[in-house]
Amino acid sequence: MRAYFDHNATTPLRPEVLDAMVEVYRDTFGNASSIHHYGQTARQRLEAARRQVGTLIGAKAEEIVFTSGGTESNNLAIFGLAPARPGHFVTSTIEHPAVLQVADELERQGHTVTRVPARASGREASGGEASGVVDPADIERALRPETFAVSLMAVNNEIGTVQPVAEVGKLVRERGIFFHCDAVQAPGRVAVDVEAWNVDLLTLSAHKFYGPKGVGALYVRKGVPLRKVSFGGRHERDRRPGTENVPAAVGMGEAAARVKRMSPTLRDWLEEQVLARIPEAYVNGDRERRAPNVSNLRFPGIEGEAIVIGLDLKGVAVSSGAACSSGAVAPSHVLLALGLSAKDARSSIRVSLGEGNTREEVESLVESLESVVMRLRKLSPAYAR
């Protein structure tokens, strides 16, 4: 039996989503910008998908811009807000590289950037490190008269911590500053509401909630002056040029209409068993304020990648960090931001459950994990006796 526990990297495609996409590929091949029957039929399917995505997050259809995924949406949002003259941008130390590397580029262009820590006061993880939750007070202290935007993720992709988006959005809006939220990991984990969250822009990616890869969306609140960052047409209300990928958008819409909220029951049972059966095992990040499907586990003295390989040989798929960073020599920037040493960061794995996982699969994961960890510890100099 093989079991998949890497749903934060990507989720399997829902059968209903595939069926909807195949139908469009087969029957609705027209260019959605054409004014004839074939084009307008494609346009109707595209706009129906736009409404479905908007409904998922409490937005109007005309506020949804289809993109190629979360990375493009983040780039469009942040670069689209950046002023021509040097300004100030605020984000956190635990953002996805699709935000952090944009922040680096802003600095190269002459802007200044503040990266606030993820250490909400009074909250610590099981090992005593920082919580992985941003304190709104830190965001507030970082704001300046020249601050043009704040970007804060909703749910961290590696440790699952849920950020205080609504609180940050409120204080940022009161100061007339634009607020962007990377919500790629949010659907199915937490309820997403652009009005309650006080966001001006919000990023989604279909393959994180059982939709297709290669399509995402950017919510742009009506009236937000987002400038174009690519050129070649006036598609997507002059936000993003290029012929629309109607089958992918339809797939995203179908997936958005079928999003289900997950329960933490299996995740909690997994952690209970791991902590009881494996000595010196820890959970990274805040244990309370987090998504219901993610557990980031640390086993000091063992390389996380060795655990991932050992589990894969037993038919169990987990991750040693963000999929976008796979192959990187450096330890997770998120775990380093919590205050972990590079050695401890490298000894961690991420287990991210999905809708299809069963109690039987989790039991198999725990048994395999115990076997792999104990075997690797026997081989580790750190545990040599």
Side-chain angles (χ1 to χ4, degrees), residues 90-262:
V90 178
T91 189
S92 84
T93 57
I94 63 167
E95 299 297 308
H96 190 277
V99 168
L100 290 178
Q101 290 183 21
V102 171
D104 293 342
E105 179 59 26
L106 287 177
E107 288 181 315
R108 285 189 285 269
Q109 294 177 5
H111 301 281
T112 56
V113 176
T114 299
R115 301 167 182 83
V116 302
R119 57 180 185 196
S121 59
R123 308 183 71 92
E124 290 187 343
S126 59
E129 66 275 2
S131 66
V133 178
V134 170
D135 189 336
D138 286 336
I139 297 283
E140 187 170 22
R141 282 189 288 269
L143 300 179
R144 306 175 187 174
E146 66 271 24
T147 303
F148 64 86
V150 172
S151 181
L152 181 66
M153 65 184 0
V155 177
N156 185 266
N157 53 304
E158 293 195 37
I159 57 177
T161 47
V162 177
Q163 304 304 317
V165 176
E167 298 95 313
V168 171
K170 183 175 184 296
L171 70 88
V172 169
R173 177 166 293 181
E174 289 172 348
R175 289 156 179 77
I177 298 169
F178 292 115
F179 182 39
H180 166 251
C181 177
D182 178 348
V184 163
Q185 295 288 347
R189 284 80 161 176
V190 299
V192 183
D193 187 328
V194 295
E195 293 299 328
W197 285 8
N198 301 292
V199 297
D200 296 298
L201 302 104
L202 182 138
T203 293
L204 296 171
S205 185
H207 77 102
K208 303 296 187 180
F209 52 92
Y210 304 92
K213 297 177 182 67
V215 62
L218 178 66
Y219 159 76
V220 184
R221 182 182 295 278
K222 184 178 180 180
V224 172
L226 192 71
R227 67 181 179 86
K228 294 171 65 173
V229 299
S230 55
F231 301 85
R234 305 195 65 178
H235 307 78
E236 293 299 298
R237 292 173 172 80
D238 209 22
R239 303 290 197 188
R240 185 207 187 231
T243 301
E244 294 94 345
N245 187 344
V246 177
V250 167
M252 184 173 189
E254 188 71 21
R258 295 175 179 275
V259 167
K260 302 173 184 176
R261 290 284 298 278
M262 292 191 63

Side-chain angles (χ1 to χ4, degrees), residues 267-287:
R267 189 274 317 276
D268 292 346
W269 186 82
L270 161 68
E271 291 181 350
E272 176 187 318
Q273 293 299 306
V274 169
L275 298 180
R277 293 169 60 167
I278 304 177
E280 295 185 66
Y282 303 92
V283 178
N284 294 322
D286 194 290
R287 296 288 299 275

